[in-house]
């Protein structure tokens, strides 16, 4: 798989905060993010409230940067996606999302991207999907940053898959805890399969 120069962005403004987020929770750890304002949030508390749900928007930010060269703040993207129903703010302030189906018209209307929800697939299908589509936002368990572990479940976190063949997959992980688990991560398909929920969003060329 030839490496492509797809820009990488974390779902937190300071990528090195992943371990702190795991230890303390996003809403505590991210109050100390010195770069929070780059997210587009109105204040640091709002940033910390949103950032735990921004893996999908970080993937979109990477796609948009690769396509257009423009860098869009993640909270700005999330609030725009919320207008389409891609996120739901509950009365207690908790955020539900990313919800896949509304994401498709959102990216079409706002950015001219042709996206489609893909479900009930296996890792063996990813190579074919990426021959037809340029990117695949895949649902995986967040512990994929530790590929030698056995996750308690599959899904719940999104990564941007940029290449796949019959043996290997390459992706950007918005919550990798160190450089090697963030950008252009290469992994055997059988390892990825332990974390992969068999669904995601394809973005066409």
């Amino acid at each position: 798989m030839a490496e492509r120069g797809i820009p990488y962005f974390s779902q937190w403004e300071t990528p090195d905060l992943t371990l702190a987020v795991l230890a303390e929770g996003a809403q505590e750890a991210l109050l100390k993010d010195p770069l929070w304002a780059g997210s587009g949030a109105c204040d640091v508390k709002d940033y910390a409230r949103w950032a735990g749900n921004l893996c999908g928007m970080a993937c979109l930010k990477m796609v948009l940067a690769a396509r257009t060269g423009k860098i869009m703040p993640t909270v700005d993207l999330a609030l725009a996606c919320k207008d389409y129903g891609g996120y739901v703010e509950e009365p207690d302030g908790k955020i539900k999302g990313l919800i896949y189906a509304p994401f498709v018209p959102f990216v079409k209307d706002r950015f001219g991207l042709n996206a489609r929800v893909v479900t009930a697939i296996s890792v063996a299908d990813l190579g074919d999907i990426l021959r037809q589509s340029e990117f695949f936002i895949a649902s995986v368990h967040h512990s994929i940053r530790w590929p030698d572990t056995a996750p308690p479940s599959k899904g719940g976190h999104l990564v941007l898959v940029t290449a796949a063949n019959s043996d290997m997959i390459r992706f950007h992980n918005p919550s990798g805890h160190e450089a090697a688990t963030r950008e252009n991560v290469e992994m055997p398909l059988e390892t990825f399969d332990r974390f992969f929920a068999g669904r995601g969003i394809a973005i066409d060329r």
Side-chain angles (χ1 to χ4, degrees):
M1 295 184 296
E3 190 166 307
R4 299 170 58 199
I6 308 301
Y8 172 81
F9 297 100
S10 171
Q11 68 188 88
W12 356 104
E13 295 303 305
T14 300
D16 287 341
L17 283 173
T18 294
L19 292 179
V21 168
L22 292 172
E24 303 169 34
Q27 294 199 45
E28 288 296 324
L30 295 177
L31 293 175
K32 295 172 278 191
D33 190 337
L35 302 179
W36 70 267
S39 70
C42 60
D43 57 43
V44 70
K45 288 185 178 180
D46 209 45
Y47 162 67
R49 188 170 66 91
W50 272 96
N53 291 74
L54 293 182
C55 50
M57 295 302 98
C59 291
L60 176 58
K61 182 177 180 176
M62 297 181 220
V63 169
L64 293 172
R67 287 277 184 93
T68 70
K70 295 179 180 178
I71 298 173
M72 304 282 291
T74 48
V75 173
D76 285 357
L77 289 170
L79 292 175
C81 188
K82 176 190 162 191
D83 290 343
Y84 284 75
Y87 289 95
V88 175
E89 289 190 79
E90 298 181 338
D92 61 1
K94 290 182 180 177
I95 295 162
K96 181 182 177 182
L98 176 67
I99 302 166
Y100 292 2
F103 178 87
V104 173
F106 162 60
V107 297
K108 177 66 173 177
D109 290 354
R110 296 296 182 93
F111 308 111
L113 298 178
N114 292 314
R116 56 195 169 91
V117 177
V118 182
T119 60
I121 60 169
S122 72
V123 288
D125 298 318
L126 292 174
D128 284 340
I129 289 170
L130 284 164
R131 278 187 282 275
Q132 302 170 37
S133 301
E134 187 173 10
F135 301 104
F136 186 71
I137 299 173
S139 177
V140 299
H141 191 270
H142 62 78
S143 63
I144 197 167
R145 67 177 71 87
W146 292 300
D148 294 333
T149 63
S153 59
K154 296 186 176 189
H157 176 60
L158 296 169
V159 299
L160 182 68
V161 180
T162 58
N165 59 28
S166 60
D167 301 308
M168 299 288 291
I169 191 166
R170 181 187 301 123
F171 59 92
H172 284 349
N173 181 0
S175 69
H177 66 294
E178 58 188 7
T181 66
R182 290 179 194 140
E183 187 171 355
N184 292 316
V185 181
E186 293 198 359
M187 183 177 288
L189 279 186
E190 61 185 26
T191 303
F192 191 82
D193 187 44
R194 291 207 310 273
F195 304 88
F196 180 47
R199 60 181 180 267
I201 302 166
I203 297 177
D204 291 344
R205 296 182 186 281

